[in-house]
Amino acid sequence: MNVFRPARCLLSGSSISKFRPRVRCRNFHISPNLYERQGDPNFSIVKASKEGVGENELDTDLGSENFKKYTPEELEALQRKYTPGQLKAIEAGEAAIDLEDLEKHGVIRTDLGRLSYFDDLSQLRPVVDRPQHYEGPHDPSWRVLTHEERTELWNKAYREAVLEDPLPEPKTPEEAEAQEARKHGGDPIAEMKADARTPYYMGSNGPIPREHSHDLRAPGLPRNFMSDDKPKVPVKKAVHEEEADPRDPEGVYDRLIKQTGLTLDQIMDYKVKILVQHRVVNQTRLGKIASIYMLAVAGNGNGRLGIGEAKGQETEETSNNAKIAAIRAMQPIPRYEERTIFGEVEGKVSAAEVKLMCRPPGFGLRCQHLIFEMARAAGIHDLAARVPRSRNKMNTVKAAYQALLKQRIPEEIARGRGKKLVDVRKVYYAGRV
């Protein structure tokens, strides 16, 4: 709302009353300004009480709903898992965290430049995490086999592998001697079977079987790599008519599915639309050859966008080729708060210039229909655009796509200035981390 405030100025020695509009100016972010926070009790400074509270502790219940204390059952489970010294370290680390900062300023980012806030402890990362020892119930007294124990178990597994594949009765003394020497080593197939069966760890009840342990090496041959008893399954030729999906009966996306690994459901969920379509003519020595030009845009509605071009004689075939080309060319588009762009960006292709500007929540997409469709396909909800010069449709789409890819995210600005990420976001985004 505009508030009019009278202002007086002197012109030619006479006093003339003048009105000028006083416009409320603020940055485009959702954090409240300082004057809006002065009367808010949630933003008041919480001081430490004198009785029973240290200098660095806060006598407040901030975060009591989202960050609750441990229950007796949880404390008992932690005591079984950690030593008393580790528990004290955990409590000291949690006490050092400012709950007010977590409640009021901590924001979990989901945009392209997000940080790795949480780790999925149910999955192992081979570079950082230690390998899993074995699958099954935890054995507190497990240990790695010694060289003597592993040698003894390997010899036992080798002899069992030799007995599984006996040779025919020897007819000469040389064959009998070779079979006797085979029991002590020299059979490559039996050696591979012994390597695949020898355990790694020793438990309370003896060696832990390989089926319950984690192999640190690359997977070898299967256990039954020499068995010829498997019945051969006849390979049936797939009939295209039986496997055809009713949504794609002609198999337009079959090649795209094989090359990209996408499913037909994912392809159908993409927002794909033809933005530019016109007739073109190519002059050759045989005369004028007319064809159709199409430009399509494709996006998943969650930060990915691509454009594709195609020419052809048939309208339907050209349309499919342009859509497939747009799906192949999809690239990630940076989004601030998953709704708008970072700052203001410009793009220029030939004589067409496009300027894109970020806008606050609820502003909407106030731009021409070509940029509107591109923003909606990329998942951008608040955007303003200007096209001051040429309005050529093809160049406008390409310039807008170029501008979206030219955004500078806060991480890049921080690295360029040699500062921390929080400094950049404090300046441009009011401290929201």
Side-chain angles (χ1 to χ4, degrees):
M1 184 178 72
N2 296 335
V3 179
F4 290 90
R5 182 180 179 182
R8 294 185 178 273
C9 63
L10 296 177
L11 294 176
S12 303
S14 61
S15 177
I16 302 175
S17 171
K18 233 182 156 183
F19 289 92
R20 71 176 180 184
R22 181 183 178 187
V23 183
R24 177 186 178 188
C25 299
R26 61 173 297 179
N27 295 328
F28 293 123
H29 54 73
I30 59 178
S31 300
N33 288 331
L34 178 62
Y35 68 89
E36 295 177 343
R37 300 200 301 260
Q38 291 176 352
D40 192 349
N42 293 329
F43 286 91
S44 60
I45 301 176
V46 183
K47 298 183 179 179
S49 61
K50 297 182 180 179
E51 299 179 0
V53 181
E55 296 180 356
N56 298 327
E57 296 179 1
L58 295 178
D59 187 11
T60 178
D61 292 333
L62 267 174
S64 59
E65 297 182 358
N66 298 330
F67 307 97
K68 298 180 180 179
K69 296 183 178 180
Y70 290 118
T71 61
E73 293 79 8
E74 293 174 346
L75 288 175
E76 185 178 355
L78 290 175
Q79 290 173 0
R80 292 196 303 266
K81 183 69 175 178
Y82 300 102
T83 62
Q86 292 174 338
L87 285 177
K88 289 183 180 179
I90 292 174
E91 293 175 358
E94 293 180 351
I97 299 175
D98 189 0
L99 295 182
E100 181 183 3
D101 181 70
L102 289 178
E103 283 282 346
K104 302 303 179 187
H105 302 289
V107 178
I108 305 301
R109 295 171 55 193
T110 57
D111 57 310
L112 186 65
R114 64 184 179 275
L115 303 176
S116 179
Y117 294 102
F118 303 107
D119 290 334
D120 187 2
L121 302 181
S122 63
Q123 297 181 358
L124 293 177
R125 293 176 296 175
V127 179
V128 180
D129 298 332
R130 293 183 178 180
Q132 184 180 3
H133 298 295
Y134 61 89
E135 301 175 358
H138 178 69
D139 192 347
S141 61
W142 70 272
R143 62 178 177 83
V144 182
L145 290 175
T146 62
H147 178 70
E148 292 76 11
E149 292 173 343
R150 180 166 175 78
T151 303
E152 181 181 355
L153 292 173
W154 187 91
N155 293 332
K156 180 180 178 182
Y158 178 82
R159 289 192 295 270
E160 292 176 355
V162 169
L163 294 177
E164 290 178 1
D165 189 14
L167 295 178
E169 291 295 331
K171 298 180 180 180
T172 60
E174 290 77 8
E175 293 181 358
E177 185 179 354
Q179 289 190 16
E180 187 66 24
R182 177 172 172 263
K183 296 180 181 180
H184 301 283
D187 189 350
I189 302 300
E191 290 178 357
M192 295 173 67
K193 289 183 178 180
D195 291 339
R197 297 174 183 175
T198 306
Y200 291 140
Y201 310 104
M202 178 69 72
S204 303
N205 302 325
I208 300 174
R210 281 289 295 274
E211 292 79 8
H212 295 226
S213 60
H214 187 74
D215 195 351
L216 306 181
R217 303 175 301 175
L221 297 175
R223 301 290 174 85
N224 52 355
F225 48 85
M226 288 299 294
S227 61
D228 297 333
D229 302 334
K230 279 188 174 183
K232 295 184 178 180
V233 181
V235 180
K236 297 182 179 180
K237 294 184 178 180
V239 183
H240 180 71
E241 289 76 10
E242 296 179 357
E243 296 184 354
D245 194 288
R247 295 171 295 177
D248 186 22
E250 299 181 359
V252 175
Y253 300 107
D254 288 348
R255 186 176 179 182
L256 179 64
I257 291 173
K258 293 178 181 178
Q259 293 178 345
T260 60
L262 299 172
T263 62
L264 188 60
D265 294 334
Q266 293 175 338
I267 295 176
M268 291 301 175
D269 289 340
Y270 290 153
K271 295 181 170 72
V272 186
K273 190 169 184 179
I274 300 294
L275 296 185
V276 182
Q277 176 181 355
H278 53 78
R279 179 175 173 269
V280 295
V281 176
N282 183 24
Q283 179 68 47
T284 66
R285 61 188 181 88
L286 301 177
K288 295 182 179 180
I289 300 178
S291 59
I292 301 172
Y293 170 85
M294 290 189 180
L295 188 146
V297 61
N300 64 348
N302 192 23
R304 291 183 67 85
L305 184 68
I307 59 175
E309 302 173 284
K311 285 183 182 180
Q313 303 295 330
E314 300 294 335
T315 303
E316 185 177 358
E317 181 182 358
T318 308
S319 174
N320 293 334
N321 292 338
K323 293 178 180 179
I324 292 174
I327 294 175
R328 290 178 187 273
M330 283 198 305
Q331 298 186 34
I333 302 297
R335 296 181 301 164
Y336 176 62
E337 295 180 350
E338 297 186 355
R339 59 172 186 82
T340 186
I341 63 175
F342 287 89
E344 298 181 358
V345 289
E346 296 180 358
K348 183 178 183 300
V349 174
S350 187
E353 293 183 359
V354 174
K355 183 177 180 181
L356 305 180
M357 297 158 283
C358 63
R359 286 297 179 260
F363 186 84
L365 299 175
R366 303 185 189 180
C367 49
Q368 60 161 283
H369 69 284
L370 298 174
I371 304 177
F372 177 89
E373 295 293 344
M374 296 179 65
R376 189 172 65 170
I380 298 175
H381 310 293
D382 303 308
L383 183 71
R386 291 178 182 174
V387 188
R389 294 184 61 190
S390 172
R391 301 296 180 90
N392 181 276
K393 293 184 178 181
M394 181 184 68
N395 292 337
T396 300
V397 172
K398 293 181 179 180
Y401 188 64
Q402 180 189 99
L404 290 173
L405 294 177
K406 284 170 56 178
Q407 298 181 61
R408 295 188 64 192
I409 58 179
E411 285 78 4
E412 296 178 355
I413 303 175
R415 288 195 296 266
R417 298 184 179 181
K419 295 186 177 181
K420 297 181 180 179
L421 174 66
V422 67
D423 298 334
V424 178
R425 294 188 66 84
K426 183 177 181 181
V427 173
Y428 290 99
Y429 303 106
R432 286 179 60 85
V433 179

